[in-house]
Amino acid sequence: MIKVQIVRNEASQIVDCHITGHAEYDEHGYDIVCAAVSSLACTAVLGLEQVAKQRGTYTNSSGDLIIKLDGEITDQSQTILETMMLGLEEISKQYSDFVTLSDM
């Protein structure tokens, strides 16, 4: 199962995102759920780095993705992350046996 944990600051801005696990919807290389989650998350990281120029730590290793924002949180970064969340929420509705979301 893929677990998505979102952490928000006191202003309700997304400041951390941890995506761990594997969907196991299908065999490796054919898992559309893993591919969808990975595509959304990796595109969000590219947007944070290259479009929003958001400072932070972005780690993608061993199937886990961690986003930790620091410094001033930009409106652009929040737009990118909230859009990512919309996609992840939709995937978790359609594939609830394979993806869970926790938004704190």
Side-chain angles (χ1 to χ4, degrees), residues 34-90:
C34 276
V37 169
S38 182
S39 293
L40 282 170
C42 289
T43 300
V45 168
L46 288 171
L48 290 168
E49 291 178 325
Q50 296 179 24
V51 177
K53 307 289 189 211
Q54 177 65 56
R55 287 190 354 208
T57 304
Y58 310 107
T59 307
N60 188 3
S61 65
S62 302
D64 295 345
L65 180 93
I66 300 170
I67 299 170
K68 292 182 89 47
L69 305 185
D70 48 346
E72 182 181 343
I73 308 299
T74 67
D75 288 340
Q76 280 185 320
S77 70
Q78 290 307 292
T79 300
I80 291 165
L81 290 172
E82 291 292 353
T83 302
M84 177 190 74
M85 283 299 298
L86 289 173
L88 292 173
E89 287 169 357
E90 192 59 33

Side-chain angles (χ1 to χ4, degrees), residues 84-101:
M84 177 190 74
M85 283 299 298
L86 289 173
L88 292 173
E89 287 169 357
E90 192 59 33
I91 292 168
S92 73
K93 286 178 192 173
Q94 293 181 22
Y95 298 95
S96 59
D97 290 342
F98 305 96
V99 179
T100 62
L101 282 175

